[in-house]
Amino acid sequence: MSDTMDLRKAVIQSLQDAGADIVRFGNVERFSDPCLKKLMPEVRTVIAAAFRQLRGSRRGIEEGTTYYQDTTMSVENLEEVVMPMALHQACGVLEMAGFEALPQRRNLLVMAENDGTNPEVDYTEIYRGIPQENHLDFEQCAIDAGLGERGLSGSILTDEFGPCIRWVFILTDAELEPDPVAVPHLCDKCGACIAACPGKALSADGKRDNWQCSVYYNGA
């Protein structure tokens, strides 16, 4: 498949067929994370695919009933089942066209900080102290790819689903037409997210206390 526009469409179709709700392409020059070039020196295009977290999976939290539906369906199922399969299929499309494709998803067990925490996994299984330069800055890369903008709380906000997404990337040496970077317009720094945080983990300037967030998330 030599026509890059046809290849672009084929990648989009593959990701959408596997459940992706948003697909964006960005030329590597506009990305600020140096890890991209370290992982794949010949990368030309970064493909981002976002998957929505279902509205229904959060109802149990709002109603005080089934809290686990959010972590199982909106985190574990997406991160460990749906998104890896989407990456596998889309990378296969690129490889069949003669290009390299490097899948990138979050590793919920890898933390850059020695004292890092992740409320979504067993603390005893976390690998701590992994240098940041060895794994992508997922939030900044999402912005550079055009998925959305960073809100006051640090969350990535999208027009389609607000902050209720999880996402993955594909690094490839194929030069594919980029999408525009999103112009920030959703977050007006009103502070509603700070006021709404039940664990009081956000300061007045939106900075998150990761420990406070983690212990509240676990029911403290």
Side-chain angles (χ1 to χ4, degrees), residues 3 27-28 63-64 75 81 90-92 117 130 154 179 183-184 193 211 218:
D3 188 324
N27 54 295
V28 70
E63 297 164 0
V75 180
V81 180
C91 286
T117 59
I130 307 299
D179 294 298
V183 177
C193 57
W211 174 252
N218 278 293

Side-chain angles (χ1 to χ4, degrees), residues 106-138:
R106 291 181 193 269
N107 189 324
L108 301 181
L109 298 177
V110 171
M111 302 297 293
E113 307 84 8
N114 285 319
D115 59 349
T117 59
N118 186 334
E120 295 167 346
V121 299
D122 182 350
Y123 290 139
T124 61
E125 296 179 351
I126 293 177
Y127 294 89
R128 295 183 171 87
I130 307 299
Q132 181 64 52
E133 61 267 22
N134 290 336
H135 53 98
L136 294 180
D137 181 336
F138 264 63

Side-chain angles (χ1 to χ4, degrees), residues 196-218:
C197 178
K200 307 303 180 186
L202 295 173
S203 63
D205 60 359
K207 185 176 181 180
R208 183 172 62 236
D209 182 330
N210 289 331
W211 174 252
Q212 179 69 13
C213 179
S214 297
V215 295
Y216 184 84
Y217 188 101
N218 278 293

Side-chain angles (χ1 to χ4, degrees), residues 7 11 21 40 51 97 115 174 180 210:
L7 177 57
V11 170
D21 295 287
M40 187 178 189
F51 300 72
D115 59 349
N210 289 331

Side-chain angles (χ1 to χ4, degrees), residues 10-25:
V11 170
I12 293 173
Q13 190 64 58
S14 174
L15 288 167
Q16 290 178 337
D17 288 347
D21 295 287
I22 309 172
V23 181
R24 296 287 186 268
F25 297 74

